[in-house]
Amino acid sequence: MKILTLEVGKMQNLTYIISFNNSYIIIDPSFGYDTIKRYISCDKEIFVLITHGHYDHVMDCNKLVDYCSSVKIYLHSADKFLVPFNLTEFVDVSKINNIDVEDEKIEVIKTPGHSPGSVCYKISNHLFTGDTLFFDCCGRVDLPGSDPKQLRESLLKIYNLDDETIIHPGHDYGGKEIILKEAKKINPFLYSLPDAKLFFSMIL
């Protein structure tokens, strides 16, 4: 398994391409279509995993479907209303806990808060968090469908994962990746979690 991190667009978006022997996983493709094409081959199966439906994480989906017939898109149905185009066919991850890619089992962790259908994808010890958790901050909760209480519960799920989990966020806001045990030291939205009043005073 090889992980390629692409910074694309004007908001430091991070798109990930994970390569396997006979397939690719592409996480949150937006604004990087021409670059993505250089790293994939249409003779392999392609899994497009969407962490949430905001436009800056999905804009390349239909382009990839048109480019390769083997593309399958995975999205939580609660976020379909956020996708700014007609996404006619996708696998609803609200109904599944795992995605099998060759010999790898991709864990789907539901993490609503930034959006109602936000999810994280865990591949081995790598966690792709979208806009739920960044290097030293977390996602906004002032957008349609956001919920600060849900976000706190979702961050607690991440907090309780193995400390060696490698966090791969949806934007380079301070850094492209960080080990969870280090994030707990520097990210105020993680180290404030045990004290609910402190957390909400920071996030609201």
Side-chain angles (χ1 to χ4, degrees):
M1 182 180 79
K2 297 180 180 179
I3 300 174
L4 174 66
T5 303
L6 303 177
E7 184 170 333
V8 296
K10 298 179 179 180
M11 293 184 287
Q12 296 79 53
N13 279 77
L14 298 176
T15 290
Y16 300 94
I17 302 175
I18 300 104
S19 301
F20 297 87
N21 289 332
N22 299 303
S23 55
Y24 301 99
I25 292 173
I26 305 175
I27 298 177
D28 287 355
S30 202
F31 311 132
Y33 172 67
D34 290 331
T35 303
I36 291 170
K37 287 196 301 181
R38 298 204 297 266
Y39 293 100
I40 64 173
S41 171
C42 288
D43 62 358
K44 296 185 178 183
E45 193 169 12
I46 299 173
F47 300 79
V48 175
L49 309 185
I50 304 301
T51 62
H52 64 293
H54 289 153
Y55 78 97
D56 57 320
H57 293 259
V58 300
M59 290 302 291
D60 288 340
C61 286
N62 281 351
K63 294 178 182 178
L64 288 168
V65 169
D66 290 341
Y67 180 63
C68 290
S69 61
S70 61
V71 171
K72 292 181 180 179
I73 296 175
Y74 292 75
L75 170 75
H76 195 297
S77 56
D79 267 21
K80 189 176 186 297
F81 80 101
L82 293 171
V83 177
F85 53 83
N86 185 24
L87 187 59
T88 56
E89 188 173 341
F90 64 93
V91 178
D92 182 4
V93 298
S94 72
K95 301 176 181 178
I96 59 177
N97 295 317
N98 297 287
I99 302 167
D100 292 321
V101 178
E102 297 186 27
D103 294 330
E104 197 73 54
K105 191 174 291 291
I106 316 305
E107 185 178 356
V108 180
I109 303 174
K110 281 72 171 181
T111 53
H114 177 65
S115 71
S118 285
V119 300
C120 297
Y121 297 100
K122 189 171 185 293
I123 307 174
S124 185
N125 67 325
H126 298 270
L127 185 71
F128 298 86
T129 58
D131 285 6
T132 296
L133 181 67
F134 302 120
F135 186 86
D136 60 1
C137 57
C138 67
R140 293 170 57 179
V141 291
D142 60 343
L143 301 171
S146 295
D147 186 317
K149 292 182 179 180
Q150 285 188 332
L151 182 59
R152 179 173 182 268
E153 293 300 315
S154 295
L155 290 174
L156 281 168
K157 289 183 183 179
I158 296 173
Y159 188 93
N160 289 320
L161 294 175
D162 187 279
D163 273 348
E164 299 302 317
T165 301
I166 302 171
I167 305 298
H168 300 271
H171 295 264
D172 181 3
Y173 293 162
K176 288 184 169 66
E177 66 178 56
I178 187 170
I179 298 174
L180 180 56
K181 66 181 178 183
E182 297 301 323
K184 289 178 179 180
K185 298 176 184 177
I186 69 169
N187 190 326
F189 297 98
L190 287 182
Y191 63 65
S192 68
L193 280 174
D195 184 342
K197 290 183 179 180
L198 176 60
F199 176 84
F200 288 121
S201 70
M202 296 173 59
I203 201 168
L204 297 176

